[in-house]
Amino acid sequence: MPQVQEISAATLDTKGFIKEKAAEISQIVGTGVAINALSGGVDSSAVTMLGHMALQERLKTYFIDNGIMREGEPQFIASVFKKLGVNVEIIDAQDEFFNALKGIIDPEEKREAITQTFYKKVFGRLVKESGAKYLLQGTILTDIDETVAGIKRQHNVFEQLGIDPQEKFGYKIIEPLVQLRKDGVRKVAEATGLPASIFNRMPFPGPALSARVIGEATRERIALVRKATSILEAELASVKAFQYMAILHNDRVTGMRDNKREFGQQIEVRCWDSIDARQARPTRLDFGILEKLAARILSELPGVVSVTYNIATKPPSTMEAI
Ligand code: XMP
């Protein structure tokens, strides 16, 4: 397996990088068609812009609505890109993803179910319909590191695990950002004309809210963690942190509401300071912010009786809970 040559954010020649990668994409795809999945994260957004610079309308960009994204996400992202002249087609694949996730509680099996549904079922179909031979995607170096180290199999890593996408899914994958880490990608994203709401966006995992539900990711449990996420993102919006998240636990605990016992749900809040996600520390959040956040979660989410704040470091924790 060829070693990937890292380009640090400090040494990155952003303009030169963009020119070089756009030329590479043009050369590989030739006169053909490529497709890409935009999730709204900084990585896939940067790749979408690079791909459009290289291929214009010969790149078809899809937003796969897998049912496990944050509130209003597909429409928000499509509208951001529309302003930049990039047409994004939203594909409703919610049933396919929830069917694939049914009954699965193991974290890696969840990732695998999402991978198979995304790359084989949904993208297999889109590739056939569009006639594309290439999928452009925003894998970055940290994804590869953690996957190869066996910590978490990031759902977009194949070749480093000996998986040939052409053989397995019927198309080739182009990964223009693979030498960069998140800080480098943000520089590239900014230079391609994306707004700060995208290039400064917090990281969000490929398996989306299913990575924030411990145990089975049913429609109901995803809906609960989605609401907790909206409250948390609103309450922590002014906090400078690398990433924050709400997690729904599988275990229930005893609580009380209206003078009655309630064997209820637990939401865990995590908020991380980090440079590149390799190591992280819990943000020293103001206690008043935490109290307000907890009060909103407890009053707006029926059935939740516990809100905790995680104070472990990474390592030995990881940033996501599964
Ligand atoms: P961990 O949990 O491994 O997270 O400390 C490090 C960074 O990676 C993101 N993450 C993922 N991203 N697929 C992704 O695309 C995944 O399966 C996945 N797991 C974690 C996480 O949000 C954090 O920014």
Side-chain angles (χ1 to χ4, degrees):
M1 162 200 342
Q3 190 72 30
V4 177
Q5 190 69 45
E6 177 169 356
I7 304 173
S8 70
T11 61
L12 175 68
D13 160 17
T14 312
K15 276 198 182 138
F17 179 90
I18 290 172
K19 235 175 124 182
E20 188 189 311
K21 292 299 161 186
E24 254 175 55
I25 295 167
S26 285
Q27 196 246 324
I28 296 171
V29 178
T31 54
V33 171
I35 61 174
N36 80 309
L38 174 62
S39 70
V42 63
D43 306 341
S44 70
S45 296
V47 159
T48 300
M49 294 307 285
L50 283 178
H52 274 272
M53 283 173 182
L55 306 170
Q56 286 90 40
E57 67 284 352
R58 286 184 297 113
L59 178 70
K60 306 256 174 276
T61 296
Y62 300 101
F63 186 103
I64 309 301
D65 184 358
N66 51 17
I68 51 179
M69 303 305 271
R70 284 170 288 186
E71 194 70 52
E73 192 71 4
Q75 295 70 25
F76 166 65
I77 297 302
S79 75
V80 167
F81 277 83
K82 197 166 185 197
K83 286 191 197 120
L84 296 166
V86 176
N87 185 48
V88 178
E89 194 178 328
I90 299 172
I91 305 289
D92 181 357
Q94 299 195 24
D95 290 345
E96 279 164 295
F97 279 89
F98 281 116
N99 283 337
L101 286 165
K102 206 171 261 166
I104 299 180
I105 52 173
D106 177 79
E108 294 305 304
E109 281 179 28
K110 256 190 217 175
R111 288 191 162 83
E112 186 57 19
I114 290 171
T115 299
Q116 290 301 326
T117 309
F118 186 86
Y119 287 95
K120 203 165 180 160
K121 275 191 99 169
V122 178
F123 262 88
R125 188 168 66 235
L126 293 173
V127 161
K128 271 202 202 111
E129 284 169 14
S130 65
K133 291 197 170 51
Y134 295 94
L135 172 72
L136 230 67
Q137 73 171 12
T139 317
I140 67 170
L141 197 48
T142 318
D143 299 339
I144 292 176
D145 285 349
E146 297 212 344
T147 300
V148 172
I151 297 167
K152 281 177 192 179
R153 197 180 75 65
Q154 309 280 319
H155 85 136
N156 52 4
V157 175
F158 301 107
E159 276 168 37
Q160 289 76 11
L161 295 176
I163 300 168
D164 178 357
Q166 172 80 60
E167 194 182 292
K168 205 107 187 147
F169 312 122
Y171 49 83
K172 291 200 170 94
I173 295 185
I174 306 174
E175 297 173 320
L177 306 179
V178 83
Q179 292 164 280
L180 305 180
R181 297 196 186 270
K182 205 58 113 189
D183 41 358
V185 180
R186 290 194 200 285
K187 285 176 75 175
V188 171
E190 181 174 10
T192 61
L194 284 161
S197 58
I198 299 289
F199 71 73
N200 273 338
R201 214 168 191 209
M202 258 184 325
F204 188 69
L209 295 174
S210 82
R212 310 246 166 110
V213 166
I214 302 176
E216 190 178 354
T218 61
R219 280 180 202 268
E220 295 70 31
R221 302 190 77 218
I222 289 288
L224 184 62
V225 87
R226 179 181 290 124
K227 278 196 191 145
T229 302
S230 295
I231 296 171
L232 175 136
E233 291 190 352
E235 292 302 322
L236 300 190
S238 62
V239 168
K240 289 215 180 326
F242 180 86
Q243 194 173 14
Y244 35 78
M245 60 193 73
I247 293 153
L248 175 62
H249 278 245
N250 209 13
D251 287 341
R252 287 175 179 254
V253 290
T254 300
M256 51 191 285
R257 207 182 289 266
D258 303 328
N259 281 329
K260 282 202 208 91
R261 178 180 192 271
E262 188 173 79
F263 198 46
Q265 312 261 15
Q266 306 187 66
I267 293 285
E268 177 189 335
V269 173
R270 294 185 177 194
C271 182
W272 297 108
D273 289 338
S274 179
I275 304 288
D276 57 16
R278 283 185 286 184
Q279 295 183 333
R281 304 187 68 79
T283 305
R284 293 191 169 201
L285 287 177
D286 174 78
F287 207 79
I289 291 183
L290 283 170
E291 279 179 329
K292 179 150 181 258
L293 173 59
R296 276 197 65 190
I297 291 175
L298 292 169
S299 75
E300 294 175 39
L301 299 180
V304 175
V305 297
S306 166
V307 180
T308 55
Y309 185 53
N310 183 296
I311 52 169
T313 53
K314 172 183 179 176
S317 177
T318 57
M319 296 173 85
E320 303 287 347
I322 75 153

